[in-house]
Amino acid sequence: MAALHQSVKRQKLMVAAIDFGTTYSGYAFSFKEDYKTNPLQISINQSWTAGSRSLVSFKTPTCILFDKTQTFVAFGYAAEDQYSELALDDNHGDHYYFRRFKMKLMEKPLQRNLYLESETKNKQMPAKTVFGESIKYLKDHLLKTLETRGTTVVNSDIHWVLTVPAIWKDNAKQFMREAAHYAGIVSEQLTICLEPEAASLYCQFLPLDKFKGNVTFKGSSSKYMVVDLGGGTADITVHEKQPDGSLKELHEASGGPWGGKYVDEKFMELLITLVGQDVIDEFAELNKADVLDIYREIETKKQTIKPDMTGKVTIKVPVSVGDTYKQKTKQNIKKVIEGSRFEGKITWTGDKLRMEADLFQDLFKDGKDKLIDHLDKLFHDKEVAGVTTIVMVGGFSECEILQEAMMDKFGQKRKLVIPEDAGLAVLKGAVLYGHKPQTIVQRKARYTYGINITPAYDSREYSPTRRVTIDGVDRVKDVFKKYIEKCQPLRVGEAVTGRHVTIKRNQREMLLKIYASVDAEPKYVTDRNSEFLGKVVVELPDSEERLTVEVSMIFGETELMVEARTQNPGQAPRIHRAYFDFL
Ligand SMILES: Nc1ncnc2c1ncn2[C@@H]1O[C@H](COP(=O)(O)OP(=O)(O)OP(=O)(O)O)[C@@H](O)[C@H]1O
Ligand SMILES: [Mg+2]
């Protein structure tokens, strides 16, 4: 069926990708026919104009507004604007507003019935609805765009690609598949694609003159590192281009929460240091629209700051912060700095917070150091040590402070490459991936995969507390039988097989529970690091004998298929299958 899914997808007229980012989201598409003549002929919506501003962008903020009945109202800039209006009229209290919620899926353990906390206090909604409605909005927007353009393409003509961070756990990826299903994108027409893989693919297609810097990207070295610096995460993969143009992963995806949003948080921390947590809490609770303004302001300032900038940076901070401060402390906001360690470095009058440029540059330091530290460690890996090209993609790659820091650290020995539209590399690459998913031929297993078994008890190996007696035999429960070990190279389409014998005679079914673990050698499926992925129920034929079930784990382009085979003498084998996203 995995193969079947692929052929169903191949028959579609168009590939459309949704990049659901932490800070910004968007879509892009291209027709199968156009791809054949020019793969880079990809359409992107260019009219995410915010109602109140003339700003035009290719992506729209990842935020969504629901009314009091939890009915969808708006997404993106429109949601920001409407929520802001509601807040100004003090009518926002019964609405539900969510922003930057993607990273919630990274928190572990992820539950299927996860609820998200609305920005309006004490209100929650199911994460599945929030993600599902967001994807649905982007999907419907795209369909409407197609209609306006006069095409006759409908949803069923589209092969959808949804991007996810490579460092996400399997269950978060599965969650996105379910959210897409909620949005009306069925599994058969959906491919989940890893963000840095998409970006890597995009760079392969891009002509050399579309890169910044002195690039010989497609020349000498076929090994390169892709660093996707988004709003939420820094996601890193290392690829080697094969002679046939396909890509092999040299190191499993890694990274951390060091995207552009980290800087926003550091600025909020600075404000808290200045006026106190309770002032910020009260201000944020009573002035929702102003909170939004602060974030917009930081966004603008973040994009204009240069590493060599000196003098002062002026940040507009709504007067309501000062008002709240005055009301709570009976002091003037101007006074807050005097006598503090920021005296002489920061002044705050009315709605203008002026700070020395180096203080603002400091807000980037922590995330930047963590990223560089991480990359430095990666280069100590023997597979990665010889990599001489670093490709920076994602919106935060445009940040000059970061670029300079990367140059200082790695520029001597390595080439740093930034494609022209770094912030769109993932989105466009995802479209390319949909046309040709087989471009990625080998990955490193991100987890150890296995199945629960109940082997005979051996006191030298197992704890007596796990001993059970079944059908007169002492056995051990919940043992992790390893099929694939973390970091093992996997060719797409490769199968790993094993055998499982029933533990009782006349057993009617065998329940195979599939687990993933971050450990290389997990012992029990109940270990803290083991995670249940799903199950395959194998119905067994009548038999007085104990039966052998042959199990294969097959790594497809985007999904893991588990296949169990039973054979009754003289009969055709019976096959049971289940699918999991494993990327
Ligand atoms: N010129 C710039 N200078 C500094 N930061 C920038 C610049 N342009 C964009 N950013 C930052 O990049 C981030 C957005 O990048 P991008 O659109 O790639 O992220 P995303 O896809 O929303 O997030 P993720 O990939 O982590 O889910 C924001 O934090 C934004 O502030
Ligand atoms: Mg992104």
Side-chain angles (χ1 to χ4, degrees), residues 21-24 59 102 230-233 260 299 302 394-396 398-399:
T22 309
T23 43
Y24 296 97
K59 297 204 265 182
K102 177 180 167 189
T233 49
E299 184 67 58
K302 198 164 49 168
F396 197 38
E398 315 244 346
C399 170

Side-chain angles (χ1 to χ4, degrees), residues 19-22 24 59 102 163 195 228-233 394-395 423 426:
D19 178 11
F20 191 83
T22 309
Y24 296 97
K59 297 204 265 182
K102 177 180 167 189
T163 64
E195 290 168 10
D228 175 14
L229 297 170
T233 49
V426 168

Side-chain angles (χ1 to χ4, degrees), residues 10 12-16 28-44 146 149 151 153 205 431-432 434-436:
R10 270 194 281 268
K12 303 287 180 198
L13 293 174
M14 171 185 277
V15 171
F29 55 90
S30 78
F31 284 95
K32 279 268 153 69
E33 279 307 309
D34 294 337
Y35 172 80
K36 285 180 198 153
T37 48
N38 178 11
L40 290 174
Q41 195 177 327
I42 298 169
S43 304
I44 294 197
L146 291 173
R149 286 186 175 198
T151 69
V153 176
F205 278 87
V431 174
L432 297 170
H435 285 294
K436 216 173 164 217

Side-chain angles (χ1 to χ4, degrees), residues 395-414:
F396 197 38
S397 283
E398 315 244 346
C399 170
E400 288 186 24
I401 291 183
L402 218 68
Q403 290 177 1
E404 189 185 87
M406 289 282 289
M407 222 29 219
D408 283 352
K409 178 72 192 179
F410 304 112
Q412 290 269 317
K413 285 198 194 155
R414 299 180 171 87

Side-chain angles (χ1 to χ4, degrees), residues 239-477:
H239 284 151
E240 181 176 32
K241 191 172 176 182
Q242 306 298 291
D244 66 354
S246 62
L247 300 175
K248 172 182 162 186
E249 191 179 84
L250 293 181
H251 192 281
E252 73 275 18
S254 63
W258 319 305
K261 179 165 99 70
Y262 208 79
V263 179
D264 310 0
E265 281 158 15
K266 288 287 161 196
F267 181 77
M268 290 314 273
E269 274 174 30
L270 175 68
L271 275 190
I272 289 166
T273 311
L274 292 174
V275 299
Q277 181 80 52
D278 52 340
V279 171
I280 289 296
D281 283 350
E282 188 167 318
F283 150 75
E285 185 48 33
L286 299 175
N287 306 277
K288 298 286 181 192
D290 290 349
V291 177
L292 203 76
D293 285 342
I294 293 190
Y295 281 110
R296 283 182 177 165
E297 176 72 6
I298 306 170
E299 184 67 58
T300 319
K301 287 286 148 18
K302 198 164 49 168
Q303 299 197 13
T304 47
I305 186 89
K306 305 273 179 271
D308 53 359
M309 211 182 238
T310 52
K312 292 228 182 323
V313 176
T314 304
I315 299 162
K316 272 184 88 174
V317 178
V319 284
S320 49
V321 178
D323 292 348
T324 314
Y325 182 78
K326 186 162 196 181
Q327 177 215 332
K328 276 190 102 70
T329 64
K330 308 284 176 265
Q331 286 193 30
N332 195 306
I333 193 82
K334 236 180 124 170
K335 289 248 164 32
V336 63
I337 319 289
E338 290 166 16
S340 83
R341 66 185 159 104
F342 297 108
E343 190 165 348
K345 293 211 122 204
I346 299 182
T347 57
W348 193 339
T349 323
D351 67 349
K352 284 187 187 56
L353 193 144
R354 303 192 73 209
M355 62 203 288
E356 293 290 333
D358 63 346
L359 211 55
F360 192 78
Q361 285 148 354
D362 270 357
L363 302 174
F364 293 72
K365 191 175 178 329
D366 195 23
K368 184 179 74 183
D369 288 354
K370 285 187 169 132
L371 171 74
I372 285 181
D373 227 43
H374 178 81
L375 297 181
D376 200 31
K377 283 204 189 92
L378 275 181
F379 281 120
H380 282 92
D381 183 286
K382 66 175 187 324
E383 289 266 40
V384 187
V387 173
T388 50
T389 306
I390 305 173
V391 185
M392 288 170 70
V393 297
F396 197 38
S397 283
E398 315 244 346
C399 170
E400 288 186 24
I401 291 183
L402 218 68
Q403 290 177 1
E404 189 185 87
M406 289 282 289
M407 222 29 219
D408 283 352
K409 178 72 192 179
F410 304 112
Q412 290 269 317
K413 285 198 194 155
R414 299 180 171 87
K415 222 167 355 209
L416 232 71
V417 171
I418 307 167
E420 200 174 58
D421 38 10
L424 295 174
V426 168
L427 182 55
K428 290 186 177 176
V431 174
L432 297 170
Y433 186 81
H435 285 294
K436 216 173 164 217
Q438 59 275 36
T439 320
I440 313 289
V441 287
Q442 189 174 317
R443 295 190 176 93
K444 294 253 177 152
R446 306 208 194 304
Y447 301 99
T448 299
Y449 290 91
I451 296 178
N452 69 317
I453 54 167
T454 316
Y457 177 71
D458 179 342
S459 62
R460 287 163 303 181
E461 209 176 328
Y462 302 113
S463 148
T465 54
R466 293 193 177 252
R467 179 163 55 178
V468 287
T469 308
I470 300 170
D471 219 16
V473 179
D474 278 355
R475 293 186 171 274
V476 204
K477 277 182 76 160

